[in-house]
Amino acid sequence: EESKMGVAVTKKAIDLGIVTTNGEAMLAFYRDTVGLRYVESMPMPGGGGTMHRMLCGDSLIKLVVVPKVAASAAPGGIPGANGYRYWTITVSNLAEVVEACGKAGARVIIAEKQVRPGVRIGMVADPDGNWVEFLQAD
C-alpha cells in the first residue's frame, strides 16, 4: 500500500501573492484603507518588478507590482471564473472596515449580511477587481 504523505506545515498562516500593474492604487487599498501592516519592499527575485510585503495577522500578503502582464483575471468575483476568486480576513470591526473601503472608492459587493447565526460578512473589490471578504463572528 502506498503511503499518503501530506504537507508538513511549519507556519500557522499562508503567504498570498497578488500580482498587479496598478501598484499605487493597490498599495493604498491594502496598506492604507484595509490597514495591513507594511513590512518592506524588495525587488522581485529575477527582476521585473517590486514586491511589497504586508502582514494580515500571521499571513504574509505579497503585492507584486509588475510593468505588464500577459493576461488579467476574469472579472466577476466568485461566479466569474474558476480559480482563486476571493480571500477572507476575519475582523472584529466589520461595519467600520466595509464603510472605510466604500469611502475610499472601493466597490462594495456585499455591505454586510448574516450568512449563518453569529457570522456576518461584507465583501469589497480591490482596485483591480479582486474580491476581499471580511468576516466577523460574534
Side-chain angles (χ1 to χ4, degrees), residues 25-122:
M26 291 285 280
L27 191 56
F29 176 78
Y30 285 107
R31 180 192 59 203
D32 305 332
T33 303
V34 174
L36 301 186
R37 187 164 68 83
Y38 194 83
V39 177
E40 64 183 343
S41 71
M42 58 189 282
M44 272 300 291
T50 302
M51 178 189 291
H52 297 279
R53 297 160 58 94
M54 294 170 277
L55 287 172
C56 180
D58 291 333
S59 294
L60 182 65
I61 309 307
K62 301 182 284 190
L63 182 65
V64 179
V65 181
V66 295
K68 64 180 183 173
V69 291
S72 292
I78 294 169
N82 288 327
Y84 298 109
R85 303 303 297 166
Y86 74 101
W87 58 295
T88 303
I89 302 173
T90 302
V91 300
S92 63
N93 59 340
L94 176 64
E96 294 86 350
V97 169
V98 173
E99 181 181 353
C101 289
K103 283 184 176 175
R107 185 165 63 97
V108 176
I109 310 296
I110 299 170
E112 184 176 345
K113 78 174 193 179
Q114 181 172 306
V115 291
R116 58 185 180 272
V119 178
R120 292 175 295 131
I121 66 163

